[in-house]
Amino acid sequence: MEIGEILGDALVYPFHNIKALVLYLILGIILGIAIIGTLVSVSAGVAIENIWAVIGSGVIGIIISLFIVFLINGYQLDIVKYGIQRSASAPDIDFIRQFINGVKLFAVQIVYMLIPIIISSILAIIFQHWLSGIISFIVSIIFSLALVMAQCRLAKTEDIGDALSIGEAIGDISRVGIVKLILVILIIAIISLILYSIAILIAKWNATVGGILFGIIVVYVLFFNGRVLGLLYSDV
């Protein structure tokens, strides 16, 4: 599919299943309030120099946020899967399976982020000059793109082993088209940045309203991103 077709489809796709959208919007709103509330609570704790308030609010906020993020990411993987199949319908809600898949995705993300860090550290010891920086940057870009492909592989099979097949994930980059992939990721990043910036500006005016809007945007962007990635990977 052409980039224009992919983006046009993905922009309206979140509204194909109003029931799921509303439910996950509610979760997104809770997520947004949890994040904003945690930041406010931690800041207040720091201001009054109460370490227990900082730790307590931080831990509770992180636990709630991670739980909701896993659920939303698990549903997003199903959206990616439907995109790969080029299905116009929306996935059913399956909290347990989608939560587990969200945890799988989190584990995959950690692996794909850790490897470039380890490689960069080794290179810094071996070369100890600007060459290590250039190689590290290239490696980071490759693994960032491979992570996108790994997410699609996980969505397609729900097998974490397929997602962690790094060589295959890197090979998928060329099969999709590296220029096309980078361009689509940049467009997604720009659209997401604009939407998030709006929410942050509103949060400065009103934390509650900003938190609610932030949660709504988080869910919409995740649904949008999932559809884009699925359609993009459907050509592999």
Side-chain angles (χ1 to χ4, degrees), residues 15-227:
F15 304 104
H16 284 190
N17 188 332
I18 299 299
K19 178 182 177 182
L21 180 63
V22 170
L23 177 59
Y24 279 89
L25 281 177
I26 292 173
L27 289 175
I29 290 171
I30 296 173
L31 174 61
I33 293 175
I35 292 174
I36 299 297
T38 299
L39 292 175
V40 172
S41 298
V42 170
S43 298
V46 171
I48 62 175
E49 299 182 353
N50 188 331
I51 187 63
W52 295 112
V54 173
I55 294 175
S57 57
V59 170
I60 293 173
I62 290 172
I63 291 174
I64 294 174
S65 299
L66 281 178
F67 180 78
I68 297 174
V69 166
F70 290 154
L71 283 176
I72 294 174
N73 283 348
Y75 189 81
Q76 186 197 30
L77 284 174
D78 281 350
I79 292 175
V80 174
K81 185 174 185 176
Y82 274 55
I84 294 172
Q85 298 170 347
R86 297 193 181 182
S87 171
S89 59
D92 292 328
I93 297 170
D94 185 345
F95 280 142
I96 296 176
R97 183 180 60 81
Q98 288 161 354
F99 176 82
I100 292 173
N101 284 340
V103 174
K104 290 179 184 177
L105 177 59
F106 181 69
V108 169
Q109 290 170 335
I110 289 177
V111 171
Y112 276 81
M113 287 187 292
L114 276 179
I115 293 177
I117 293 174
I118 294 172
I119 293 175
S120 298
S121 299
I122 295 173
L123 289 172
I125 295 173
I126 295 174
F127 293 107
Q128 296 183 343
H129 54 63
W130 59 268
L131 181 59
S132 65
I134 294 176
I135 298 175
S136 297
F137 176 75
I138 294 173
V139 170
S140 297
I141 294 297
I142 292 173
F143 271 84
S144 295
L145 297 178
L147 174 57
V148 175
M149 297 295 94
Q151 180 177 342
C152 294
R153 295 173 66 84
L154 178 61
K156 185 176 182 178
T157 66
E158 298 188 23
D159 185 347
I160 194 170
D162 284 338
L164 293 176
S165 297
I166 297 174
E168 289 295 321
I170 293 175
D172 285 342
I173 296 173
S174 60
R175 286 186 277 272
V176 170
I178 188 169
V179 175
K180 185 177 182 180
L181 179 58
I182 292 175
L183 185 57
V184 168
I185 290 175
L186 287 175
I187 293 173
I188 290 176
I190 291 171
I191 293 175
S192 301
L193 180 61
I194 291 172
L195 292 175
Y196 288 139
S197 296
I198 292 173
I200 291 172
L201 287 174
I202 293 177
K204 291 181 178 179
W205 166 68
N206 187 301
T208 301
V209 175
I212 292 173
L213 182 59
F214 183 82
I216 293 173
I217 290 174
V218 165
V219 174
Y220 178 84
V221 168
L222 285 173
F223 278 40
F224 167 71
N225 289 358
R227 185 64 174 179

